[in-house]
Amino acid sequence: MISTLDNRIELVEEKLLQACKRAGRSREDVQIIAVTKYVSADTTKSAVEHGLKHLGENRWQDAQAKWQAISGDAAPNEDGQPVWHFIGSLQTNKVKEVIGKFTYIHSLDRLSLAEAINKRAAQLGIVVPCFIQVNVSGEDSKHGLEPGQLFDFAAELQRFKSLKPIGLMTMAPYESEPERTRSVFRALRELRDQLRQSSPLYEEIKHLSMGMSNDFEIAIEEGATWVRLGSILVGKEEV
Ligand SMILES: *Cc1c(COP(=O)(O)O)cnc(C)c1O
């Protein structure tokens, strides 16, 4: 079956809406990031033309040409320009390239990275909204802080004036039965709630970046405010 972008978007919208309904949440509280790492620059452009405004990439080496083709010549804040989200593990030596091009960073997981982002952002005169990545599941293969490190880390971030933590991010293990991811998403929500209750300083840490193609409906039921959707939404191509 050939599935067009229109069909895919419609399918995702329907699932998303149903998940919001089940959780008594409003559709406007959940935003979609179209993860374009598996598709070409042309498909990415077409996704933007179909109204997918937020794009996610996880490796600068792979994203570079795509970013250049789509946003390289655009004026900042130009109408119709997508907003880029960096969702993969970010090497400190790529910060200089990525900051200023990607608006949001979803993978803040160490102080040395915070320092580098803050320094680059200050040079550019911008403030970079970041998600703190937490390894809730404890899988070795996953990046992120251990849950027990989160409070100290959030306190340390207060000294960086050009970086603004706005939420938490996690990746659940792949499960053939998506229901099994629920405890991971729930734990991230509870961490966020505990953090915000601990001090008014953390009031702005309110977003939850969680849920991918396989498990986004569960993530939404557990409070996701940003879902990161690749294969189910824009497909997968040989590129
Ligand atoms: C690839 C990727 C996604 C999207 O994956 P799909 O399963 O195709 O939806 C989401 N988040 C991160 C961090 C990724 O690397």
Side-chain angles (χ1 to χ4, degrees), residues 58-64 86 88-102 105 107 110 112-113 116-117 120-121 124:
N58 69 334
R59 282 168 55 91
W60 170 244
Q61 293 92 315
D62 300 335
Q64 190 167 8
F86 199 88
S89 167
L90 180 54
Q91 291 170 270
T92 309
N93 65 5
K94 300 294 185 304
V95 164
K96 202 164 173 284
E97 296 285 358
V98 166
I99 300 302
K101 301 186 179 79
F102 285 72
I105 305 297
S107 49
R110 57 195 191 278
S112 57
L113 178 60
I117 293 172
R120 182 63 180 150
L124 296 172

Side-chain angles (χ1 to χ4, degrees), residues 35 37-38 58 87-88 169 171 212-214 228-231:
V35 176
K37 68 185 187 199
Y38 307 118
N58 69 334
I87 61 172
M169 179 274 212
M171 285 174 82
M212 305 172 29
S213 293
N214 187 51
R228 310 179 307 266
L229 304 178
S231 36

